[in-house]
Amino acid sequence: RVEGNLLATKAFALLTSDKFRFSRIQCARFKGTERVVFIDKREFTGPLYEQVEEAYQFVLKHINLGAKIEGLVRKDTYELPVESIRESIVNAVTHRNYMENSCVQIAVFDDRVEITSPGMLYGDLSIEAIKQGKSKIRNKGIAEVFNRMKIIEEWGTGISRIIAGCREYQLPEPEFLELGDSFRVNI
């Protein structure tokens, strides 16, 4: 019971404040295709759901927006699938390891967006397993609140939606990588 109360207290603090130094999202737009020259960079703190929204808006600001004509109507479309980007950011925040002394990082390049989350896949999950819809929740309190806020649905469909969004845009399947003690999605 004490352990459950401690988890609930930590989740509540993460969802409503910025008391934990590494519970933030760092975003950067780099010139070219390497992490060398910054064009823009921001750091978002505060409640996790606000960080997700601010990071998502940062990415939208830095990817190209175009238009196509459908019948008589002009439809604005981004160069990358925004649903896949949103889902990748939400997953990075929901499933990250909050015991790691590092932040979620989102890097926008000329040719891709990288979303890097502290902590490798949780439990016995593998990249193939998550592509098949298998999911394990590392942060139960955060997932429960995000579910109630309708940010996630807790069915393990996120990775499939990320892949489907890229397929719809006729892009290569996103890269899912375990890099040392972190997990990265490249779109």
Side-chain angles (χ1 to χ4, degrees):
R1 180 117 174 110
V2 171
E3 184 178 309
N5 288 339
L6 183 59
L7 283 172
T9 302
K10 285 182 178 180
F12 179 77
L14 285 167
L15 289 161
T16 60
S17 69
D18 60 356
K19 292 182 181 183
F20 296 98
R21 181 169 179 236
F22 294 103
S23 66
R24 63 184 189 262
I25 300 176
Q26 295 175 319
C27 295
R29 171 62 170 107
F30 290 97
K31 182 176 183 179
T33 60
E34 297 180 26
R35 290 182 183 225
V36 179
V37 178
F38 289 96
I39 293 173
D40 188 14
K41 65 180 178 169
R42 298 278 315 273
E43 191 169 284
F44 302 108
T45 62
L48 295 179
Y49 58 92
E50 289 180 5
Q51 290 182 40
V52 167
E53 179 62 27
E54 291 171 320
Y56 176 68
Q57 293 301 322
F58 180 91
V59 174
L60 294 184
K61 174 182 166 189
H62 289 290
I63 62 175
N64 293 322
L65 177 64
K68 60 183 174 180
I69 305 299
E70 293 181 1
L72 295 175
V73 180
R74 185 187 85 154
K75 182 179 178 185
D76 291 336
T77 57
Y78 285 94
E79 67 180 322
L80 295 174
V82 295
E83 298 84 6
S84 299
I85 292 167
R86 177 216 168 269
E87 188 65 35
S88 298
I89 294 170
V90 169
N91 281 352
V93 170
T94 304
H95 297 296
R96 68 158 286 176
N97 183 348
Y98 284 92
M99 301 304 286
E100 293 286 336
N101 292 332
S102 58
C103 308
V104 169
Q105 290 187 334
I106 301 168
V108 181
F109 300 92
D110 289 354
D111 63 345
R112 71 190 181 285
V113 174
E114 292 180 354
I115 297 102
T116 307
S117 180
M120 296 170 51
L121 291 173
Y122 183 62
D124 63 349
L125 289 176
S126 67
I127 290 173
E128 279 309 309
I130 64 172
K131 287 181 179 181
Q132 299 301 317
K134 187 169 183 189
S135 177
K136 282 195 175 178
I137 299 171
R138 184 191 315 258
N139 302 301
K140 292 170 181 63
I142 293 167
E144 175 67 23
V145 172
F146 275 12
N147 178 266
R148 290 182 184 193
M149 294 174 75
K150 304 210 182 302
I151 296 172
I152 64 170
E153 83 295 311
E154 294 185 303
W155 273 84
T157 62
I159 299 298
S160 296
R161 282 200 312 269
I162 293 168
I163 293 169
C166 290
R167 190 177 306 124
E168 183 181 319
Y169 271 63
Q170 300 176 353
L171 296 172
E173 182 174 297
E175 286 184 290
F176 301 99
L177 307 165
E178 286 189 295
L179 302 169
D181 61 354
S182 62
F183 183 77
R184 177 176 293 162
V185 178
N186 290 335
I187 299 174

